[in-house]
Amino acid sequence: MDGGIWISVPTAWDKVYTEAEQLGARFTAKLNTRSLNTLHVALAIVAGYTNFVTGDSDQAKLAKAAGLSCTLVSVNSDG
């Protein structure tokens, strides 16, 4: 954290929940999105981010559908 990688962002949770509800209404049936994926994408939108990085392909689909630039990363499980 001291290296500047993580930042703390004040969160207006009422706005995040409203955004999540709107995303859910728009995309859940089409993309079969799950609640935590929707909440994470909503948080990014409300925080004002335009770039989203995830290791979850379903979450990436939602982020892209919501208009975020998204990078899908994979983790090498070889240890």
Side-chain angles (χ1 to χ4, degrees):
M1 286 192 185
D2 291 336
I5 296 171
W6 303 104
I7 59 171
S8 177
V9 178
T11 304
W13 287 106
D14 56 331
K15 292 180 182 179
V16 173
Y17 297 139
T18 298
E19 182 69 29
E21 288 176 12
Q22 293 171 354
L23 288 172
R26 289 176 57 201
F27 300 114
T28 295
K30 180 179 177 183
L31 300 177
N32 194 30
T33 55
R34 301 185 58 96
S35 59
L36 287 178
N37 287 344
T38 303
L39 190 60
H40 288 152
V41 172
L43 180 58
I45 291 169
V46 170
Y49 294 106
T50 56
N51 299 309
F52 193 85
V53 178
T54 183
D56 183 321
S57 62
D58 291 332
Q59 192 174 58
K61 290 175 191 172
L62 175 61
K64 288 177 184 177
L68 297 173
S69 171
C70 187
T71 301
L72 179 62
V73 296
S74 62
V75 177
N76 185 346
S77 61
D78 292 339

